[in-house]
Amino acid sequence: MDSRDGQRPASCTTPILVHNPHLDGLKNDILYHFSLGTVTHDLPAMFGDVKFVCVGGSPWRMKSFIEYMASILGMEDPKADYPNICSGTDRYAMYKIGPVLSVSHGMGIPSISIMLHELIKLLHHAHCTDVTIFRIGTSGGIGLEAGTVVVTKQSVDSNFLPKFEQVILGKTVMRNTDLDPKLAQELLECSKELNLFNTHLGNTMCTMDFYEGQARLDGAFCSYTGEDKQEYLHDAQKAGVCNIEMESSVFAAMCKMSGLRAAVVCVTLLDRLKGDQLTSVHEVLKSYQQRPQILVGHYIKKLLNDQKDC
């Protein structure tokens, strides 16, 4: 069976799929940006038990997430400092506790794409199965109050189309950006159980830029009016777009190709219909950023507890 469409094979476990015959000829697959390799490291021993992966932009946020998971899963060690597995490089950071892996991806499509290539290969080389992956992060909302958590239904481009375009050998290849609908609904149910903050299901627009690409008026350059901005954002809202960020399209496309069950969970830091700059104090923004962690953490804990009861 060709699993390029991301569908799960008819078996009791779901492996991580790679689509690169050239890997078979490598004596040592060097995961350069992780400072790991198939010969230099025992990847099955290090990562074979991973069932959940959570990725986000900043290293400190992903360390905070693994500390949070250690706490709610009862795996917290007062003497542990949760070392960075990728300490041999300054490109990405990686932390692990039990079956949970936490990895930073930087900002934007190119940065997360590089990380995902090596993460998918890492999980493949480690013989991981049945892995669920989440992207947690921040975003700008459209018509949603600050602090709202958005679970992405579908990632769309700047024309509100559900696709990711990749240029390969000078040719543009279009890839699907569907995410797991059942996983999204399960996360919504978890949010209802928590009843701590508003959670919304909707489309997420993924852009290549933070300023002009997101219709901001406060960049170094701007060739449009405030009215143009409002018209564009209202058109996005009519197309079902609830928030804007810079990684979801390639995340959705690559996870689908590799057979990973995936979700995007981002908190809105402001309503872009009302402004462009962040004016909330640091403590408020920090509390907002913790909300995707709380939701995903609750989901993981619930699943692990259910497995124990089986």
Side-chain angles (χ1 to χ4, degrees):
M1 170 181 170
D2 185 350
S3 298
R4 292 176 187 272
D5 58 0
Q7 293 181 357
R8 292 176 180 272
S11 62
C12 58
T13 59
T14 305
I16 308 302
L17 307 175
V18 295
H19 307 286
N20 183 359
H22 304 291
L23 295 179
D24 296 335
L26 294 177
K27 293 181 180 180
N28 179 23
D29 189 2
I30 300 171
L31 309 180
Y32 172 71
H33 300 89
F34 285 164
S35 191
L36 298 170
T38 53
V39 170
T40 55
H41 298 81
D42 188 345
L43 299 182
M46 294 172 68
F47 302 103
D49 62 339
V50 169
K51 295 298 181 184
F52 303 96
V53 180
C54 193
V55 303
S58 70
W60 72 262
R61 192 183 302 160
M62 301 324 293
K63 184 174 184 180
S64 172
F65 176 74
I66 214 66
E67 291 171 345
Y68 176 70
M69 290 306 305
S71 175
I72 66 171
L73 294 179
M75 298 180 178
E76 194 172 24
D77 182 352
K79 298 179 181 179
D81 59 357
Y82 306 103
N84 176 14
I85 298 170
C86 299
S87 59
T89 176
D90 61 359
R91 185 63 60 189
Y92 303 110
M94 180 185 295
Y95 305 94
K96 184 179 182 296
I97 186 77
V100 183
L101 191 65
S102 178
V103 192
S104 69
H105 59 60
M107 181 180 288
I109 286 174
S111 184
I112 191 174
S113 173
I114 294 168
M115 188 280 293
L116 285 172
H117 271 283
E118 298 190 11
L119 174 65
I120 290 166
K121 291 199 298 175
L122 182 153
L123 296 173
H124 171 75
H125 290 314
H127 310 303
C128 295
T129 59
D130 303 321
V131 176
T132 301
I133 185 169
F134 308 88
R135 169 173 137 65
I136 61 172
T138 59
S139 63
I142 301 181
L144 298 176
E145 65 179 21
T148 302
V149 172
V150 176
V151 176
T152 302
K153 180 179 180 181
Q154 196 168 47
S155 177
V156 300
D157 64 13
S158 296
N159 293 313
F160 321 136
L161 299 176
K163 61 184 176 66
F164 170 68
E165 294 186 352
Q166 173 78 52
V167 178
I168 303 173
L169 301 181
K171 299 178 181 179
T172 300
V173 176
M174 287 191 295
R175 290 173 172 165
N176 185 284
T177 57
D178 285 342
L179 292 157
D180 191 306
K182 186 172 183 291
L183 178 57
Q185 288 296 330
E186 290 170 355
L187 287 166
L188 286 179
E189 289 301 316
C190 282
S191 182
K192 292 177 182 177
E193 294 170 5
L194 288 168
N195 196 29
L196 296 174
F197 39 77
N198 292 328
T199 302
H200 197 85
L201 177 68
N203 293 342
T204 295
M205 183 166 71
C206 182
T207 69
M208 294 293 292
D209 170 55
F210 185 80
Y211 285 98
E212 290 179 292
Q214 296 188 15
R216 278 185 158 83
L217 302 175
D218 59 345
F221 310 103
C222 185
S223 60
Y224 44 85
T225 67
E227 290 75 18
D228 293 334
K229 166 200 165 178
Q230 289 295 325
E231 181 180 0
Y232 178 71
L233 293 183
H234 280 294
D235 286 345
Q237 190 175 31
K238 291 175 185 176
V241 175
C242 294
N243 63 333
I244 309 172
E245 48 85 88
M246 298 173 60
E247 294 87 17
S248 61
S249 62
V250 70
F251 174 83
M254 293 182 70
C255 290
K256 186 174 181 65
M257 290 178 67
S258 62
L260 285 164
R261 193 173 186 233
V264 177
V265 183
C266 290
V267 68
T268 61
L269 299 184
L270 77 168
D271 182 355
R272 288 294 316 291
L273 295 175
K274 297 179 180 178
D276 295 332
Q277 296 199 332
L278 294 172
T279 57
S280 299
V281 298
H282 174 74
E283 289 76 14
V284 172
L285 293 176
K286 185 176 180 180
S287 70
Y288 288 165
Q289 292 173 19
Q290 291 172 340
R291 292 180 178 183
Q293 295 187 21
I294 293 170
L295 176 54
V296 170
H298 179 74
Y299 176 84
I300 292 174
K301 181 180 179 180
K302 181 179 179 181
L303 248 63
L304 290 176
N305 286 340
D306 288 346
Q307 291 170 6
K308 288 180 182 178
D309 294 338
C310 290

